[in-house]
Amino acid sequence: MILATLAVFGLVIFGFWLIPRVLSRTEVGHLLQNKWRDLEECFHRHQFYKIPKFNQQMQENQVYRKVFMYLNSLSSAGDSDFVNLFSGNNKPNEINLEIDSANEVFSDTYLGSRIFWKFEKDCLVLKMRRKEKRRILSSYLQHVHNVTDEIEQKTKEIRLYINAVNEPENGRWISVPFNHPATIDTSVLDSDLKHKMKSDLESFLKSEQYYHRLGRVWKRSYLLYGPSGTGKSSFIAGMAKFLRYDIYDVDLSKVANDSDLKLLLLQTTRRSMIVVEDLDRYLTDKSTAVNLSGILNFMDGIISSSGEERVMVFTVSNKDQVDPTVLRPGRIDVHVHFPLCDFPAFKTLANSHLGLKEHKLFPQVEEIFQTGASLSPAEIGEIMIFNRGSPTRALKNVISALKSNTDTKVTIITANKKEEPLRLTHSVSVGGALGVPSGLLDHGGPGPVGLPPRLMYSGSARTVEEVRGSRSFRRDSIPTVREFKKFYGLLKTKNNKKEFVDKESSQHEVPVF
Ligand SMILES: Nc1ncnc2c1ncn2[C@@H]1O[C@H](COP(=O)(O)OP(=O)(O)OP(=O)(O)O)[C@@H](O)[C@H]1O
Ligand SMILES: [Mg+2]
């Protein structure tokens, strides 16, 4: 008797456990669930809001578009009876799922209230309990807006804008899709610095209210400084991808005057990154028609169409040469140093480029770094890429390049008799603005110290006097390696005194946080 009671009791419990599970997986269960919900809603009065697909001018209603996108992002969308499959817009191999507008009701929960969406002919209908509309309607719509904004931001194609010669019919900017492969993570930099940069950018994105409360323009400015080939442009690409911002790359030499620069800024959109590479060059060479006050106003970003959500990035090779007013706090918020390679950075490159964690030549490489020799990550990276078939050969070539670089670190007397340091090898620019090579590549054979041919640029010929007159070789007329050697040979005969330039501090710093 007791056994029978226990068996019945067990069966009842099992039944209670099993029935909801079976129902939730079957059509009957689904139907019952919907009927129960409908029954529950029968006891409430409802308010309906219609969102037409088109406005009176037969243009697409943006609210409809956003709600449609929002509904697609709901987890319940995946469970809907009919789902359409489309190929991706920019990636044809990708398949996207989209809810079908055929008479289905989608329910959503917001702040504890249930909200229903239904497709009708050319419109979407929002249904909510009347007594709850005051409490949730506007914040729910804001929530829909925020979610879709975030989705759009994540999926949008990043574009690179370049200020072209004046074409009034097309505006001042021309753009191309931006597909640079660099990310913040692929930059060979101190990992703590990369982490700080990411959190700085993230906290900027979340600070709209904070900036508004302070009455400040919601923008943040970064100065990336360091020798050529240390990854400044690649890092900018990584920042833009991290933020998913478009890049406006300002070429100041193509700007007619201060008001033209204002116009350019006015024609940028929010959520964009405004980049001026080699700012020091423009300031010292006066290779722009814009004067200092025009540049300062531009940096302050006051004149912009919305004044909102801008990141500005400036690169310089040596910040000590830049007028302190340009770099004052508020105008530049964060300084980031891009150093030449040290031994840990070399090891990271060897790992990523050659798959080497350890090698018998590493101690030798470390020793040379300890003597103060250094090359830019670009130079070391190029040697490794060129010799990637043989890691040992790659390391040997890095060693000889480092040794030869030690020999080429000299102090030269410039035209104005002032001693000025010049690192010859760092002047071989391997990357133009945002990594687009600006010189003509010479594939004519290996370089003199095992450097790959890619490192050799055939720029326009320059005389030694021209080279000596400038602080460093300019990107737009890069000498060939042979010219370097010639130049170096001349230096040796003219200056018997050969000094090492002080090794730059390898400390990365982000002074303002
Ligand atoms: N720190 C680094 N981490 C990873 N790659 C680097 C780094 N530095 C340079 N490189 C590589 O070297 C090449 C040139 O780098 P990039 O153009 O970013 O240097 P740059 O500092 O902007 O130089 P320049 O001042 O001449 O414009 C790129 O292909 C990049 O991938
Ligand atoms: Mg650059």
Side-chain angles (χ1 to χ4, degrees):
M1 183 66 190
I2 295 169
L3 265 180
T5 317
L6 275 177
V8 170
F9 188 67
L11 272 176
V12 169
I13 300 229
F14 182 67
F16 273 114
W17 177 82
L18 188 67
I19 290 166
R21 274 163 184 77
V22 171
L23 285 182
S24 68
R25 281 173 173 77
T26 59
E27 193 69 20
V28 181
H30 190 61
L31 212 74
L32 283 178
Q33 204 178 22
N34 280 347
K35 288 290 167 215
W36 174 252
R37 278 182 188 162
D38 289 348
L39 192 72
E40 216 184 343
E41 292 302 318
C42 282
F43 297 98
H44 296 276
R45 279 187 72 202
H46 289 93
Q47 178 80 46
F48 296 86
Y49 298 90
K50 264 190 168 184
I51 302 174
K53 191 170 183 178
F54 300 104
N55 65 16
Q56 277 122 350
Q57 288 82 41
M58 286 314 284
Q59 290 157 332
E60 191 188 16
N61 180 359
Q62 292 305 308
V63 184
Y64 182 97
R65 189 181 63 78
K66 290 204 164 202
V67 172
F68 185 72
M69 190 187 288
Y70 174 76
L71 293 178
N72 270 296
S73 75
L74 294 178
S75 53
S76 58
D79 302 333
S80 83
D81 295 343
F82 290 98
V83 179
N84 293 316
L85 305 180
F86 290 106
S87 66
N89 282 344
N90 302 320
K91 297 174 187 158
N93 292 338
E94 210 173 74
I95 294 177
N96 296 331
L97 307 187
E98 248 183 34
I99 50 173
D100 193 89
S101 49
N103 268 337
E104 220 177 319
V105 176
F106 294 89
S107 71
D108 190 12
T109 311
Y110 181 71
L111 299 178
S113 302
R114 292 194 61 217
I115 291 151
F116 301 91
W117 288 98
K118 189 171 189 307
F119 283 98
E120 282 184 5
K121 192 178 177 302
D122 280 344
C123 74
L124 264 162
V125 180
L126 163 65
K127 174 178 150 186
M128 64 171 57
R129 291 179 190 171
R130 203 171 264 254
K131 64 173 184 195
E132 286 174 346
K133 74 174 184 195
R134 265 189 227 295
R135 184 174 68 91
I136 59 163
L137 180 65
S138 70
S139 76
Y140 177 66
L141 292 178
Q142 187 58 47
H143 162 75
V144 171
H145 178 79
N146 293 346
V147 171
T148 50
D149 233 23
E150 211 171 289
I151 298 170
E152 278 181 325
Q153 198 59 22
K154 274 190 191 142
T155 52
K156 85 164 192 186
E157 178 192 60
I158 304 174
R159 295 192 76 80
L160 169 66
Y161 290 80
I162 306 157
N163 57 312
V165 279
N166 214 346
E167 286 179 59
E169 68 278 11
N170 297 329
R172 291 287 274 112
W173 296 100
I174 51 170
S175 74
V176 288
F178 186 67
N179 300 315
H180 201 293
T183 63
I184 292 185
D185 292 320
T186 59
S187 285
V188 179
L189 273 179
D190 181 78
S191 54
D192 187 41
L193 175 100
K194 290 197 276 192
H195 177 71
K196 275 184 180 163
M197 277 299 286
K198 281 189 190 169
S199 23
D200 190 70
L201 292 168
E202 259 163 5
S203 90
F204 166 77
L205 290 177
K206 293 178 196 148
S207 315
E208 180 174 15
Q209 299 303 327
Y210 178 73
Y211 277 81
H212 281 186
R213 213 176 55 241
L214 296 179
R216 289 179 71 135
V217 179
W218 186 19
K219 75 158 184 73
R220 193 135 178 96
S221 297
Y222 297 85
L223 178 81
L224 314 187
Y225 68 98
S228 180
T230 48
K232 302 181 292 296
S233 301
S234 317
F235 196 78
I236 293 174
M239 285 170 77
K241 278 162 74 177
F242 183 76
L243 294 166
R244 300 212 64 80
Y245 277 14
D246 289 330
I247 299 180
Y248 286 85
D249 189 9
V250 184
D251 182 346
L252 284 177
S253 68
K254 295 214 171 66
V255 181
N257 48 41
D258 290 10
S259 45
D260 191 27
L261 187 59
K262 284 180 197 166
L263 197 70
L264 275 175
L265 195 55
L266 277 171
Q267 289 178 3
T268 60
T269 52
R270 71 192 276 255
R271 291 189 179 160
S272 58
M273 189 180 233
I274 293 156
V275 175
V276 180
E277 291 238 50
D278 302 323
L279 181 64
D280 48 348
R281 175 158 72 85
Y282 291 115
L283 294 171
T284 51
D285 291 8
K286 305 267 182 281
S287 54
T288 172
V290 186
N291 57 41
L292 184 62
S293 73
I295 292 179
L296 296 182
N297 283 334
F298 168 79
M299 291 177 80
D300 293 339
I302 301 161
I303 318 124
S304 60
S305 49
S306 59
E308 292 296 13
E309 255 185 298
R310 305 296 164 105
V311 165
M312 289 190 152
V313 187
F314 303 92
T315 71
V316 298
S317 56
N318 186 350
K319 68 171 182 166
D320 299 335
Q321 309 276 329
V322 180
D323 188 331
T325 49
V326 175
L327 305 181
R328 75 147 167 76
R331 191 159 281 142
I332 295 284
D333 303 299
V334 182
H335 294 211
V336 189
H337 181 213
F338 285 72
L340 291 170
C341 240
D342 54 10
F343 184 61
F346 157 82
K347 278 177 75 176
T348 313
L349 287 171
N351 190 12
S352 58
H353 287 59
L354 304 170
L356 290 181
K357 284 209 186 315
E358 276 306 328
H359 193 278
K360 62 179 189 305
L361 288 174
F362 275 11
Q364 201 180 332
V365 178
E366 186 172 17
E367 223 169 83
I368 301 173
F369 273 114
Q370 279 163 1
T371 65
S374 190
L375 291 170
S376 67
E379 288 160 318
I380 292 186
E382 288 291 316
I383 295 172
M384 289 175 171
I385 291 170
F386 186 65
N387 296 289
R388 65 183 178 279
S390 163
T392 305
R393 191 177 64 223
L395 294 191
K396 282 183 178 161
N397 283 340
V398 169
I399 290 169
S400 48
L402 280 167
K403 278 183 178 161
S404 127
N405 170 252
T406 312
D407 294 340
T408 56
K409 285 194 235 163
V410 292
T411 296
I412 61 165
I413 310 293
T414 54
N416 59 10
K417 303 278 183 247
K418 205 173 139 214
E419 282 203 341
E420 220 174 337
L422 176 71
R423 281 171 186 262
L424 297 181
T425 46
H426 304 147
S427 305
V428 184
S429 176
V430 285
L434 295 165
V436 181
S438 51
L440 293 169
L441 294 177
D442 176 357
H443 293 278
V449 286
L451 295 177
R454 266 167 62 77
L455 269 181
M456 299 196 291
Y457 277 72
S458 34
S460 59
R462 304 182 72 190
T463 66
V464 171
E465 287 314 312
E466 279 175 316
V467 173
R468 291 174 66 202
S470 64
R471 199 170 51 78
S472 65
F473 295 113
R474 280 183 34 189
R475 226 207 246 150
D476 49 4
S477 66
I478 297 152
T480 58
V481 171
R482 191 182 303 155
E483 283 171 306
F484 277 117
K485 288 182 83 185
K486 195 170 136 203
F487 177 42
Y488 179 46
L490 261 167
L491 272 174
K492 277 218 284 204
T493 52
K494 287 198 174 180
N495 301 298
N496 287 330
K497 189 171 121 212
K498 193 165 77 177
E499 284 176 20
F500 290 121
V501 176
D502 283 347
K503 189 176 187 302
E504 272 182 276
S505 153
S506 60
Q507 291 291 309
H508 308 292
E509 47 170 315
V510 185
V512 187
F513 270 101

